[in-house]
Amino acid sequence: MEVLTISLKNIVLVHWLLTIWACFISWLPTSYVLANVSALAVGVWAIAQKDSIDAILMFLIGLAVTILTDIVHFALYYAAAEIQYKSVAPDLFRFSGGLAITSLMLKPVSCLYAYHVYRVRGGENNFSFRFPWITRNREYQTFDHQDQPGSSANNQAEGGKPGPSPC
């Protein structure tokens, strides 16, 4: 199966258009616009600096954060805006809300692509979910009993009593 190549420019352009179209009417707060436009500005930085790991990582984090903030914005403002624009401009509200939801649905796919670009640029998976006070003892034992001086094979050769047989 062939991997579809998508330009980072196309992802930023699509999210920019969807954000602009989602803000045709003022049903979303200013924080929605600021969060999405700032994440897209970092995306422009990631496009401009093609070898920067920091830029693409910040774009990835920005997209992930805007997924959460978009969910909160829609949960808080959608029902009230639907009632408010029911008699004034219901079609425009449905268009604007639909494109905002479409942008939200495309963001996880964009995050996966941004993570792929991050890995291509040389980024590593340094995410650790371990607690710092929990340590693992990784001492390895060898089970080759013939090389150890106290093994049963050496005892038999020296005239000692045979030890238990290794299983």
Side-chain angles (χ1 to χ4, degrees):
M1 189 168 140
E2 195 172 309
V3 178
L4 181 66
T5 57
I6 302 170
S7 172
L8 195 58
K9 293 176 187 177
N10 293 338
I11 288 179
V12 171
L13 177 67
V14 166
H15 282 291
W16 178 75
L17 282 173
L18 291 173
T19 301
I20 295 299
W21 286 341
C23 298
F24 269 167
I25 56 175
S26 60
W27 69 278
L28 287 166
T30 308
S31 59
Y32 174 84
V33 178
L34 291 176
N36 283 289
V37 169
S38 62
L40 293 175
V42 174
V44 171
W45 175 37
I47 293 168
Q49 292 188 347
K50 294 185 185 293
D51 58 344
S52 175
I53 296 172
D54 293 335
I56 193 67
L57 182 63
M58 291 295 291
F59 180 57
L60 175 62
I61 291 170
L63 282 176
V65 168
T66 56
I67 289 172
L68 297 175
T69 58
D70 288 358
I71 291 170
V72 170
H73 285 122
F74 297 159
L76 293 177
Y77 292 98
Y78 189 84
E82 188 176 26
I83 294 169
Q84 178 184 359
Y85 289 104
K86 190 174 192 175
S87 61
V88 179
D91 294 334
L92 189 58
F93 172 73
R94 279 196 301 264
F95 177 77
S96 178
L99 291 177
I101 292 170
T102 303
S103 176
L104 176 62
M105 290 172 56
L106 285 177
K107 282 183 184 179
V109 177
S110 300
C111 283
L112 289 175
Y113 181 73
Y115 181 71
H116 172 71
V117 172
Y118 170 71
R119 295 295 302 245
V120 167
R121 290 186 182 183
E124 296 179 6
N125 187 4
N126 291 331
F127 304 116
S128 176
F129 296 109
R130 286 188 246 147
F131 296 105
W133 58 84
I134 297 175
T135 59
R136 293 182 183 176
N137 187 4
R138 294 194 179 214
E139 294 179 11
Y140 297 103
Q141 300 175 356
T142 58
F143 292 105
D144 190 14
H145 295 290
Q146 295 173 356
D147 294 332
Q148 294 179 354
S151 69
S152 62
N154 288 340
N155 285 341
Q156 287 178 355
E158 294 174 0
K161 295 181 183 178
S165 64
C167 296

